[in-house]
Amino acid sequence: MVISTEVEQQQFFDRKYKESAILLNEIQQQAVVHTSGPLLLLASPGSGKTTTIIMKIGYLIEVKEVAPARIKALTFSKAAAADMQRRFKQLFPELTLASFSTIHSFAFEVTRMYLRKQGIAFQIIEGDTEGSNEEASAENISKKHIIRQLYSSISGETLSDEQMEELTTYISYIKNKLIPQEQWSQVSCDVPHAAELLGQYEQFKQSAYDKLLLLDFDDMLLIANKALQEDERLRKLLQQRYDYVLTDESQDTSLVQHHIIAQLAGSHRNLCVVADDDQSIYSWRGAEPAYLLNFKGVYPEAVVLYMEQNYRSTATIVNAAAQFITRNKQRYPKTMFTSNEDGSPIQFRTVSNAAAQSNYVVEQLSKTDNWGDIAVLYRNNASSIPLMNALERAGIPFYVKDGDLRFFSHWVVEDILNFMRMSYTDKRVDLLERIHLKLNSYISKQQMAVLKGIQNDQSVFDNLLNFVQLQSYQVELIESNKLVFQEMKGMPPLPAIKVIRERLGYEKALGKICDRLGFRKDYIIGIVNTLEEIAAELESMEQFASRLKHLHQTLKQASRRRGSNVVTLSTLHSAKGLEFEKVYMIDLLDGVLPSKHDSKQDELEEATRLFYVGITRAKRHLELITYSERGGEKAAESSFMSAIRDIVEPRQQAHRYGGGSGISDGDVAAYTERQPTVRSASSDKSLIKQSKSTKYVVKQATQYAKQQLDKPKTPKHPNSISSRDGLRVQQKVKHLTFGEGIITELTEDRIAIQFATESKRLALAPCLENGLLVLIM
């Protein structure tokens, strides 16, 4: 390795600036030239991490004269690896590429070397891993096929798509966390017999085919880790192959993946880990952000650098995001900042219901034809369906990132269609067989078996009444259902769905199914609500069925439209790493984000990070949208949305910091408290300095206090509590900003309230003076 001087380093940066106009800041330059020993580079959103990584690789090759093949750059996905290669060729067209790959592809390489050495043939049973078959094959075998067969043999029931997703996530989580078999049953899974099924699944893969080992993607990680631990010769071979190892998006790396990377860099310890613990949003599939927090414990000699300057977003967005993420406690003390202009205010929108939300988004998007700079983000894939329906009707083109086609084949969708088909003819036994357990006639499997044996082309309800032994209570129900189906014939689809839900007992049946099989009721009912939105403007059930087929095909096409002038629809998880001029975040409801399942502290912190990822995708315009009614019931806006509103609205900040009629030390202190710091680091320690001068802070605080005073007061709620005498511990109250909660502590000047997802300790006087508390009877 060549030792470079400061002059050579500066020449490298000057040359790249002349060639590509890339000007790195001080922290980025330190990250590039740090080439000896471990480095943890904590990169805030929009801080230029990919550019920094590429410049670092170019520096190693060009200045340090490291052979490109001796640099291993590991990324999380194939798309990220391909993008990094493309950008490297743009910046360094004259240089040979380093070795870019995903962690899984590297693990596959290690697995193949290890098993081939032992003479073990294997086959990958998921995805398309080129060259995965070794000397033998098993036709028509796949991971999901094996799991379905095993589940059926254990439970006697058919595995649904939701249960399949839950089980595969459970299996992947256990393997990536390296959880021993005796603890499998302690890992939460909504699918019954999950631990037993996993045991049989592992046994099947090892013994089902003579001399052929079946492997899934996570098995490759386990075997690669085992190989590096146990085969010293193989480990040294790979360690000697690479002098430098760099990993991107390391907050998404699992425990077993961290072990693989650590062993690969174990001899030279020239490991550069690029991550942002504030963007770790995949713990449910085994990501291990705690590893980053303990990085200095693993590598005591490591240098930790903070890339906190955001080049992407306006100061308004950056400051709100930076303050919001401090809600989390398990994180590095970073403070993102920017020198960008303030830009437009963050917008908050509350509409009546989900349909009005779709209409509002369509209305906003109709004002422009520059759709390629716009994204609509949501937590759950199901949110894309009604939005897609509205956009398609309005003629607005869109791209659905990682679109989920399973909605249109979901059993709930099939149920609704079968109920509708039954209204056209009640002579089809096959239709009744599909829905009889979800109908309020309580028809048993035995009664259904007798009915199937009757073939006289008559009404199935008449055959039940005339030829099948029924309980007395069933007779009236079956007669009633026959009449209801007759009434439904020719009915528009929206009222038909309401009849199915209520009069035919489908919604009640769904509740029982969710309780029995562990499905999320809010998700299942949400599918029915979405079907109602699609049905709203249609005149017949035939049109409804055709519309579903059309939307299914539209989604297939929309998943391939990337790169053209289209609106991007994406889940928050899939949006990580992307950026847009305008971002609309929708379905911001308590119960969705955060969900009711985000109850534990670590779950709530991950939900907070997910919301943070969403708001930091926006460059210039950010709009947060919620609605007040969901499924016929009152809905509350997301507490995260309320928190951002509280951060950016000066009036509320004035109350919080006790602003008076003039500018006080408290105003300056309040403003200063929210300002970012810049951390610059030498090779052995970090220094902290204020990012704003005192003069600038005072000026900004002056403007900030003036805004507080100029903003008109909001009228008090007519039922607001104005005296401390009206409060007591364990009393249920509503805070006009944070929602409903229970008082847990009450002192002369403070009140503590436990809300749905968090506890807050507030100054009592401003709450009473401004009518922020309302008593709930």
Side-chain angles (χ1 to χ4, degrees), residues 346-361 376-378 383 583-594 611 622-630 633-643 645 736-737:
I346 297 173
Q347 301 295 310
F348 303 88
R349 184 72 53 178
T350 301
V351 296
S352 57
N353 52 39
Q357 174 182 251
S358 296
N359 292 335
Y360 173 75
V361 172
V376 184
L377 307 182
Y378 37 82
S383 297
V583 167
Y584 297 88
M585 289 176 62
I586 65 171
D587 285 349
L588 295 182
L589 304 169
D590 264 340
V592 176
L593 184 63
F611 189 85
L622 174 63
E623 189 153 352
L624 308 180
I625 307 173
T626 188
Y627 42 92
S628 55
E629 182 183 305
R630 185 187 188 201
E633 298 180 358
K634 186 177 180 181
E637 78 174 22
S638 164
S639 57
F640 294 165
M641 178 173 171
S642 301
R645 191 198 305 271
L736 297 187
T737 298

Side-chain angles (χ1 to χ4, degrees), residues 105-270:
S105 64
F106 174 73
F108 171 70
E109 180 184 1
V110 177
T111 297
R112 183 169 54 183
M113 294 170 65
Y114 180 70
L115 294 180
R116 181 178 292 173
K117 181 179 178 181
Q118 297 191 17
I120 299 175
F122 70 95
Q123 178 170 314
I124 305 299
I125 56 173
E126 61 177 329
D128 298 312
T129 304
E130 186 177 348
S132 62
N133 298 325
E134 293 285 328
E135 302 175 5
S137 65
E139 296 182 0
N140 301 321
I141 192 70
S142 71
K143 177 180 181 177
K144 290 186 176 181
H145 174 77
I146 296 170
I147 292 174
R148 288 190 189 280
Q149 293 298 315
L150 291 174
Y151 183 79
S152 179
S153 67
I154 293 172
S155 66
E157 297 182 346
T158 301
L159 194 67
S160 70
D161 288 343
E162 294 101 320
Q163 289 175 309
M164 174 62 76
E165 183 176 2
E166 177 80 8
L167 274 174
T168 52
T169 300
Y170 167 81
I171 292 171
S172 183
Y173 179 89
I174 281 177
K175 293 182 179 182
N176 277 273
K177 287 282 192 179
L178 297 173
I179 297 173
Q181 184 168 357
E182 60 269 19
Q183 296 178 20
W184 289 355
S185 60
Q186 299 173 23
V187 177
S188 175
C189 182
D190 290 335
V191 181
H193 317 294
E196 180 185 354
L197 183 142
L198 176 53
Q200 292 193 17
Y201 171 68
E202 292 303 308
Q203 185 177 2
F204 178 90
K205 288 186 299 162
Q206 296 179 41
S207 60
Y209 293 89
D210 185 38
K211 298 181 180 180
L212 180 66
L213 179 64
L214 303 180
L215 302 177
D216 60 31
F217 285 157
D218 297 313
D219 292 329
M220 295 190 304
L221 297 173
L222 296 178
I223 292 177
N225 184 48
K226 178 181 178 182
L228 292 171
Q229 287 178 340
E230 298 179 357
D231 191 330
E232 183 179 2
R233 185 174 180 181
L234 177 60
R235 182 176 66 252
K236 287 185 176 180
L237 174 68
L238 292 169
Q239 287 176 343
Q240 292 168 4
R241 180 181 295 177
Y242 304 110
D243 294 323
Y244 294 91
V245 178
L246 303 93
T247 67
D248 190 19
E249 301 288 0
S250 294
Q251 73 276 356
D252 299 329
T253 304
S254 69
L255 185 61
V256 66
Q257 291 169 341
H258 280 302
H259 285 337
I260 291 171
I261 293 166
Q263 292 182 90
L264 181 61
S267 59
H268 51 69
R269 297 170 77 84
N270 291 330

Side-chain angles (χ1 to χ4, degrees), residues 330-349:
Q330 298 299 314
R331 61 185 295 269
Y332 279 97
K334 302 184 298 299
T335 306
M336 181 173 58
F337 71 97
T338 187
S339 58
N340 294 341
E341 61 183 13
D342 287 346
S344 59
I346 297 173
Q347 301 295 310
F348 303 88
R349 184 72 53 178

Side-chain angles (χ1 to χ4, degrees), residues 719-775:
N719 297 324
S720 62
I721 301 169
S722 58
S723 169
R724 187 183 182 282
D725 296 337
L727 299 172
R728 69 177 187 276
V729 174
Q730 295 301 313
Q731 190 175 44
K732 195 172 184 181
V733 295
K734 179 179 180 180
H735 189 286
L736 297 187
T737 298
F738 303 117
E740 295 182 1
I742 296 176
I743 299 174
T744 58
E745 180 187 349
L746 190 63
T747 66
E748 287 297 322
D749 58 352
R750 291 284 174 180
I751 182 171
I753 304 176
Q754 177 63 53
F755 296 100
T757 58
E758 61 182 333
S759 178
K760 286 189 174 291
R761 198 163 185 267
L762 308 170
L764 182 58
C767 291
L768 299 176
E769 291 169 7
N770 296 288
L772 298 180
L773 296 177
V774 178
L775 181 63

Side-chain angles (χ1 to χ4, degrees), residues 217 305 393 402 428 433 438-439 450 626 637 671 776:
F217 285 157
L305 296 178
R393 288 189 180 281
D402 301 328
R428 289 181 56 182
E433 184 178 20
K438 301 158 187 175
L439 190 64
V450 175
T626 188
E637 78 174 22
Y671 185 85
I776 298 178

